[in-house]
Amino acid sequence: MAKTVVALAEEASHRTYEEPRNALRESHVGYYLVDKGKAVLHQRVRYHPPLGRKIQELVRRHPDEFFLTSIHLLTLALMSTAVIFLTEANNSLALVLVSMLLLFLPSSQAAVQLMNYLVTTLLPPEILPKLDFTEGIPDDCATMVAIPTLLLSEKQVRDLVSEPGSALPGKPRS
């Protein structure tokens, strides 16, 4: 499988892309191991994941639809079950609706708690890939950070644009 991943990355490096970042992304082996290229790798090596893994991948691809829809359905099921057991068949529709309204908040809270438990059980935590910058940050990984600031005086502006680290808040200049 390792040779297949390297071959896929090599093939991607020879393709032409409109966006250079896509070329860099797809020509990296990590793209095929932990990103969207995983499906291509599975197809290439004819890997058929078990049902549990397919469900996990489906949930990861559509998290909002799974989580929110399940909460709605569970809330409705809990409310309906409680109303069926707490009301009689000859009660008025208004009484049933008021009962459902009163049960909405506790039912929805219980549904959220249950879904949180199910999701953490279904999707165990994964270690995220990371970069090692102990030897410094390479030029291709440099990032500019913008910090919104309220500028009140010319001195404050000069302090902010001066040499990095020379005018940290609360630290006098040396």
Side-chain angles (χ1 to χ4, degrees), residues 42-87:
H42 288 176
Q43 185 179 22
R44 180 73 62 96
V45 296
R46 293 188 176 101
Y47 171 71
H48 301 288
L51 180 62
R53 182 57 118 172
K54 286 181 182 179
I55 291 171
Q56 286 179 344
E57 291 297 323
L58 181 67
V59 170
R60 287 187 197 283
R61 274 197 310 272
H62 307 286
D64 292 340
E65 293 84 353
F66 172 76
F67 193 69
L68 297 176
T69 303
S70 298
I71 288 173
H72 289 125
L73 292 174
L74 274 172
T75 300
L76 182 63
L78 290 170
M79 282 187 338
S80 300
T81 303
V83 167
I84 287 170
F85 283 115
L86 295 175
T87 60

Side-chain angles (χ1 to χ4, degrees), residues 5-6 14 95 122 126 149 154 159 165 169:
V5 171
V6 172
H14 295 301
L95 182 63
L122 180 65
E126 293 180 358
T149 306
E154 183 179 338
D159 286 345

